[in-house]
Amino acid sequence: MYKSLLRPLLFRFDPEAIHNFSYTAIKTGLKAPLSDKLSQKLFCLQDARLERKLFGLSFPNPVGLAAGFDKNAQLVDEMARFGFGFLEIGTVTPRPQPGNDQPRLFRLPQDGALLNRMGFNNQGVEVAAARLKRRTSNIIIGGNIGKNKNTPNEEALRDYEYCFDHLYDVVDYFVVNVSSPNTPDLRALQDKEPLRFLLQALQQRNASKIKAKPLLLKIAPDLNEEQLKDIVEIAVETKLDGIIATNTTISREGLKTTVASLDKMGNGGISGKPLGARATEVIRYLRRNLPESIRIIGVGGIMNAEDALEKLAAGADLVQLYTGFIYEGPALIKQINKKILEGKLSKQ
Ligand SMILES: Cc1cc2nc3c(=O)[nH]c(=O)nc-3n(C[C@H](O)[C@H](O)[C@H](O)COP(=O)(O)O)c2cc1C
């Protein structure tokens, strides 16, 4: 129903306006009487064979919502009802910031893709933390943290630490985001020395807490092999719990959308189908080169169940999606979990 009725209607309007409208629609729709039972039946699949134990956490299934959809933790209780095994909020920054000027989100329907240059628009970590404190569902939550646009890279650690401290009590794992293409110079923090410095310091802070939380790094798909090698080295050295591969790409290769249309849209990161193969390649590289103890969350271009299986087969322990949710609707999560049960990837 989503693809045949709802999507053609929604796709007629500005993508960001629809995104905001969908928030309200989801919130209101799921308050309706019997909606709880209905969403359980339509979207959820509970089966012990889907469970994944990693980072000392028990994920009821391996399909999560990627960062960026619920930046401000406004929809946690609602998204939990679409059958996800976990949700990632953020990216949050210490201070609220408006992000880049609109329009900053575009659809590329011929490519099954989105282009965004949101620029970490968010209400600030304290607002997100307060909302998470009030949540009623017990779904696993990842906190994706970043730095404010006007914080120079030399002072970035302070921003990450601020977010880490403010989310510490309300999230189950952390993601250090240094891979968004839409905050100027952010990706320079993926370079060997700044990355080592940042992760070492965050792990020290983590160790000073009563109980350390799993710390993951989210990387770009545009890194070359040399850079991926450095990432592996630092992940081992700083004892990361996992890597999330990948964020959106700045590559425009192989797109069906015309160059003229792309030029009109301007800068930004591409997500969805065109990203799929590269994200899988990065996952495969990481799995071959990381020790087993460092886990991988695979994300990028999961538009159907087969795409998710491909990521798992390449070595991902869990998967996440964003653009697939926009194009295919909430039924996709159950479809993926069903396919995992049918395939060889469920627990024996
Ligand atoms: C509109 C939009 C906003 C996003 N915002 C964030 C963000 O704030 N932090 C982050 O780590 N990733 C962000 N992402 C990247 C996604 O989490 C994901 O890594 C990427 O879109 C690839 O997955 P997909 O092909 O399933 O969309 C965003 C993606 C989109 C489309």
Side-chain angles (χ1 to χ4, degrees), residues 313-326:
D317 297 284
L318 305 171
V319 294
Q320 291 177 324
L321 46 95
Y322 184 145
T323 307
F325 187 74
I326 305 293

PDB file of all heavy atoms in Angstrom, residues 313-326:
ATOM      1  N   ALA A 313      26.161 -10.981   4.516  1.00  0.00           N
ATOM      2  CA  ALA A 313      27.093 -11.975   3.963  1.00  0.00           C
ATOM      3  C   ALA A 313      28.496 -11.379   3.798  1.00  0.00           C
ATOM      4  O   ALA A 313      29.494 -12.090   3.889  1.00  0.00           O
ATOM      5  CB  ALA A 313      26.574 -12.489   2.620  1.00  0.00           C
ATOM      6  N   ALA A 314      28.569 -10.078   3.575  1.00  0.00           N
ATOM      7  CA  ALA A 314      29.885  -9.423   3.418  1.00  0.00           C
ATOM      8  C   ALA A 314      30.585  -9.253   4.766  1.00  0.00           C
ATOM      9  O   ALA A 314      31.751  -8.881   4.805  1.00  0.00           O
ATOM     10  CB  ALA A 314      29.713  -8.071   2.743  1.00  0.00           C
ATOM     11  N   GLY A 315      29.835  -9.491   5.849  1.00  0.00           N
ATOM     12  CA  GLY A 315      30.491  -9.428   7.154  1.00  0.00           C
ATOM     13  C   GLY A 315      29.841  -8.498   8.161  1.00  0.00           C
ATOM     14  O   GLY A 315      30.354  -8.348   9.271  1.00  0.00           O
ATOM     15  N   ALA A 316      28.732  -7.871   7.786  1.00  0.00           N
ATOM     16  CA  ALA A 316      28.054  -6.998   8.758  1.00  0.00           C
ATOM     17  C   ALA A 316      27.368  -7.851   9.819  1.00  0.00           C
ATOM     18  O   ALA A 316      26.789  -8.901   9.506  1.00  0.00           O
ATOM     19  CB  ALA A 316      27.036  -6.110   8.060  1.00  0.00           C
ATOM     20  N   ASP A 317      27.437  -7.406  11.075  1.00  0.00           N
ATOM     21  CA  ASP A 317      26.734  -8.106  12.161  1.00  0.00           C
ATOM     22  C   ASP A 317      25.306  -7.602  12.275  1.00  0.00           C
ATOM     23  O   ASP A 317      24.395  -8.341  12.657  1.00  0.00           O
ATOM     24  CB  ASP A 317      27.468  -7.861  13.486  1.00  0.00           C
ATOM     25  CG  ASP A 317      28.871  -8.423  13.449  1.00  0.00           C
ATOM     26  OD1 ASP A 317      29.001  -9.646  13.563  1.00  0.00           O
ATOM     27  OD2 ASP A 317      29.820  -7.651  13.253  1.00  0.00           O
ATOM     28  N   LEU A 318      25.142  -6.311  11.991  1.00  0.00           N
ATOM     29  CA  LEU A 318      23.815  -5.674  12.002  1.00  0.00           C
ATOM     30  C   LEU A 318      23.737  -4.803  10.756  1.00  0.00           C
ATOM     31  O   LEU A 318      24.763  -4.468  10.163  1.00  0.00           O
ATOM     32  CB  LEU A 318      23.656  -4.766  13.230  1.00  0.00           C
ATOM     33  CG  LEU A 318      23.887  -5.347  14.625  1.00  0.00           C
ATOM     34  CD1 LEU A 318      23.901  -4.217  15.656  1.00  0.00           C
ATOM     35  CD2 LEU A 318      22.795  -6.350  14.987  1.00  0.00           C
ATOM     36  N   VAL A 319      22.521  -4.406  10.374  1.00  0.00           N
ATOM     37  CA  VAL A 319      22.382  -3.457   9.271  1.00  0.00           C
ATOM     38  C   VAL A 319      21.490  -2.292   9.708  1.00  0.00           C
ATOM     39  O   VAL A 319      20.752  -2.395  10.700  1.00  0.00           O
ATOM     40  CB  VAL A 319      21.770  -4.114   7.999  1.00  0.00           C
ATOM     41  CG1 VAL A 319      22.714  -5.147   7.414  1.00  0.00           C
ATOM     42  CG2 VAL A 319      20.395  -4.721   8.286  1.00  0.00           C
ATOM     43  N   GLN A 320      21.599  -1.206   8.976  1.00  0.00           N
ATOM     44  CA  GLN A 320      20.728  -0.046   9.206  1.00  0.00           C
ATOM     45  C   GLN A 320      20.251   0.462   7.852  1.00  0.00           C
ATOM     46  O   GLN A 320      20.903   0.237   6.829  1.00  0.00           O
ATOM     47  CB  GLN A 320      21.499   1.100   9.853  1.00  0.00           C
ATOM     48  CG  GLN A 320      21.934   0.878  11.272  1.00  0.00           C
ATOM     49  CD  GLN A 320      22.749   2.054  11.793  1.00  0.00           C
ATOM     50  OE1 GLN A 320      23.515   2.658  11.052  1.00  0.00           O
ATOM     51  NE2 GLN A 320      22.594   2.368  13.061  1.00  0.00           N
ATOM     52  N   LEU A 321      19.147   1.193   7.874  1.00  0.00           N
ATOM     53  CA  LEU A 321      18.691   1.822   6.636  1.00  0.00           C
ATOM     54  C   LEU A 321      18.009   3.155   6.911  1.00  0.00           C
ATOM     55  O   LEU A 321      17.510   3.409   8.008  1.00  0.00           O
ATOM     56  CB  LEU A 321      17.755   0.895   5.872  1.00  0.00           C
ATOM     57  CG  LEU A 321      16.652   0.175   6.648  1.00  0.00           C
ATOM     58  CD1 LEU A 321      15.369   0.953   6.579  1.00  0.00           C
ATOM     59  CD2 LEU A 321      16.456  -1.207   6.057  1.00  0.00           C
ATOM     60  N   TYR A 322      18.022   3.978   5.880  1.00  0.00           N
ATOM     61  CA  TYR A 322      17.336   5.264   5.927  1.00  0.00           C
ATOM     62  C   TYR A 322      16.577   5.451   4.611  1.00  0.00           C
ATOM     63  O   TYR A 322      15.341   5.443   4.574  1.00  0.00           O
ATOM     64  CB  TYR A 322      18.360   6.392   6.141  1.00  0.00           C
ATOM     65  CG  TYR A 322      17.778   7.785   6.302  1.00  0.00           C
ATOM     66  CD1 TYR A 322      18.353   8.721   7.155  1.00  0.00           C
ATOM     67  CD2 TYR A 322      16.651   8.184   5.593  1.00  0.00           C
ATOM     68  CE1 TYR A 322      17.828   9.999   7.305  1.00  0.00           C
ATOM     69  CE2 TYR A 322      16.116   9.459   5.744  1.00  0.00           C
ATOM     70  CZ  TYR A 322      16.711  10.357   6.586  1.00  0.00           C
ATOM     71  OH  TYR A 322      16.198  11.613   6.734  1.00  0.00           O
ATOM     72  N   THR A 323      17.316   5.557   3.490  1.00  0.00           N
ATOM     73  CA  THR A 323      16.679   5.850   2.205  1.00  0.00           C
ATOM     74  C   THR A 323      15.699   4.748   1.796  1.00  0.00           C
ATOM     75  O   THR A 323      14.632   5.027   1.239  1.00  0.00           O
ATOM     76  CB  THR A 323      17.767   6.057   1.124  1.00  0.00           C
ATOM     77  OG1 THR A 323      18.686   7.038   1.621  1.00  0.00           O
ATOM     78  CG2 THR A 323      17.174   6.550  -0.180  1.00  0.00           C
ATOM     79  N   GLY A 324      16.013   3.507   2.091  1.00  0.00           N
ATOM     80  CA  GLY A 324      15.109   2.396   1.784  1.00  0.00           C
ATOM     81  C   GLY A 324      13.778   2.558   2.498  1.00  0.00           C
ATOM     82  O   GLY A 324      12.719   2.175   1.982  1.00  0.00           O
ATOM     83  N   PHE A 325      13.820   3.134   3.685  1.00  0.00           N
ATOM     84  CA  PHE A 325      12.605   3.359   4.470  1.00  0.00           C
ATOM     85  C   PHE A 325      11.724   4.413   3.773  1.00  0.00           C
ATOM     86  O   PHE A 325      10.502   4.303   3.749  1.00  0.00           O
ATOM     87  CB  PHE A 325      12.998   3.827   5.879  1.00  0.00           C
ATOM     88  CG  PHE A 325      11.854   3.935   6.844  1.00  0.00           C
ATOM     89  CD1 PHE A 325      11.267   2.794   7.381  1.00  0.00           C
ATOM     90  CD2 PHE A 325      11.357   5.167   7.231  1.00  0.00           C
ATOM     91  CE1 PHE A 325      10.216   2.885   8.281  1.00  0.00           C
ATOM     92  CE2 PHE A 325      10.302   5.269   8.127  1.00  0.00           C
ATOM     93  CZ  PHE A 325       9.728   4.124   8.651  1.00  0.00           C
ATOM     94  N   ILE A 326      12.376   5.404   3.166  1.00  0.00           N
ATOM     95  CA  ILE A 326      11.639   6.466   2.464  1.00  0.00           C
ATOM     96  C   ILE A 326      11.029   5.922   1.171  1.00  0.00           C
ATOM     97  O   ILE A 326       9.883   6.201   0.836  1.00  0.00           O
ATOM     98  CB  ILE A 326      12.583   7.657   2.114  1.00  0.00           C
ATOM     99  CG1 ILE A 326      13.299   8.184   3.358  1.00  0.00           C
ATOM    100  CG2 ILE A 326      11.839   8.765   1.367  1.00  0.00           C
ATOM    101  CD1 ILE A 326      12.435   8.836   4.390  1.00  0.00           C
TER     102      ILE A 326
END
